[in-house]
Amino acid sequence: DAGVIQSPRHEVTEMGQEVTLRCKPISGHDYLFWYRQTMMRGLELLIYFNNNVPIDDSGMPEDRFSAKMPNASFSTLKIQPSEPRDSAVYFCASSFGQGWPGELFFGEGSRLTVL
Amino acid sequence: AQKVTQAQTEISVVEKEDVTLDCVYETRDTTYYLFWYKQPPSGELVFLIRRNSFDEQNEISGRYSWNFQKSTSSFNFTITASQVVDSAVYFCALSEASYSNASKIIFGSGTRLSIQP
């Protein structure tokens, strides 16, 4: 079975540009998470979904960030406009929760560099 | 509010030594879950273990063992006879099991473990 698939693996863009990160969770998983990893702040939970519905977006840094999950097999994290401080590795993870925190399966991450 | 503290930023040991990674957590809930994840140099995070707050039995899996002590709010991880392949960043994580947020998992800052040959 395929794991969590993220694209692109690497993205270099200029400040002000729109960035879209994509994630395909493991089939059958009902939770999807977006995390951001930086040296300064470690692993931060940005937002998570349950059955395609956003449950907690309190970690989204500001209005420039938005996330959607139009169906059970696809999610996007969009940054518009991007800024250099958004440079980080963005991880998508999925799990089968059954109402309790299940094991998170992480993708390989999308490394974003904003110049 | 939930919080996970991994005070050890970096640890370096020589191969075959035992090493313990510390994790201290804070939560107001009586029901919660604790996790350890490994992030090897390749970057992908890998699940190692999950424990719930009602199960304080220590866990052993091969060279890995975990010591959960509610009295000190700690969930420490020990690698016995360390190997170079154990070199990675290790994260401790916590999830409070309130119904509305049962799957919100918060990570500590991680401990970078280097095993020298």
Side-chain angles (χ1 to χ4, degrees):
Chain A
D1 283 343
V4 175
I5 300 172
Q6 291 187 246
S7 65
R9 292 293 313 280
H10 301 274
E11 173 99 5
V12 180
T13 190
E14 292 188 348
M15 183 173 63
Q17 297 297 306
E18 178 180 294
V19 173
T20 299
L21 307 178
R22 298 172 178 80
C23 175
K24 177 179 170 55
I26 292 173
S27 177
H29 282 188
D30 55 349
Y31 283 86
L32 184 139
F33 304 77
W34 282 101
Y35 284 88
R36 177 172 69 175
Q37 186 177 32
T38 61
M39 289 294 292
M40 292 298 296
R41 302 176 68 91
L43 265 169
E44 303 172 273
L45 176 62
L46 301 178
I47 185 172
Y48 76 94
F49 297 82
N50 176 221
N51 292 322
N52 314 337
V53 176
I55 301 301
D56 186 339
D57 65 354
S58 59
M60 296 286 263
E62 46 198 277
D63 292 345
R64 297 185 297 107
F65 285 69
S66 62
K68 294 181 179 179
M69 191 166 186
N71 57 62
S73 59
F74 184 66
S75 177
T76 60
L77 178 67
K78 186 174 293 187
I79 309 171
Q80 167 63 21
S82 58
E83 296 182 3
R85 60 191 168 124
D86 302 330
S87 298
V89 181
Y90 291 81
F91 285 100
C92 177
S94 69
S95 72
F96 181 54
Q98 292 182 303
W100 302 107
E103 171 188 346
L104 290 179
F105 291 82
F106 282 83
E108 293 179 305
S110 294
R111 181 175 295 275
L112 172 65
T113 302
V114 183
L115 303 174
Chain B
Q2 57 193 109
K3 183 180 179 181
V4 177
T5 301
Q6 294 180 256
Q8 303 153 307
T9 306
E10 293 191 38
I11 299 175
S12 182
V13 300
V14 177
E15 200 171 19
K16 298 184 183 177
E17 287 186 10
D18 299 347
V19 58
T20 295
L21 310 181
D22 297 335
C23 173
V24 174
Y25 61 91
E26 294 178 28
T27 176
R28 296 176 187 166
D29 280 8
T30 55
T31 303
Y32 50 89
Y33 287 78
L34 295 163
F35 303 79
W36 276 95
Y37 282 81
K38 174 181 179 180
Q39 186 176 36
S42 59
E44 190 171 343
L45 286 107
V46 178
F47 168 85
L48 295 178
I49 188 171
R50 176 185 63 185
R51 300 307 296 264
N52 71 57
S53 53
F54 297 111
D55 183 1
E56 285 193 76
Q57 285 191 356
N58 290 335
E59 176 106 5
I60 297 176
S61 176
R63 296 183 297 105
Y64 294 174
S65 62
W66 291 268
N67 184 306
F68 176 28
Q69 292 195 339
K70 289 178 75 170
S71 61
T72 56
S73 296
S74 65
F75 186 44
N76 296 338
F77 172 33
T78 297
I79 302 175
T80 303
S82 60
Q83 300 176 3
V84 173
V85 293
D86 296 326
S87 297
V89 181
Y90 290 86
F91 292 92
C92 182
L94 165 71
S95 176
E96 293 173 337
S98 60
Y99 177 79
S100 62
N101 240 341
S103 285
K104 183 173 183 176
I105 301 175
I106 301 301
F107 286 78
S109 55
T111 298
R112 181 177 299 278
L113 176 63
S114 297
I115 310 297
Q116 308 301 320

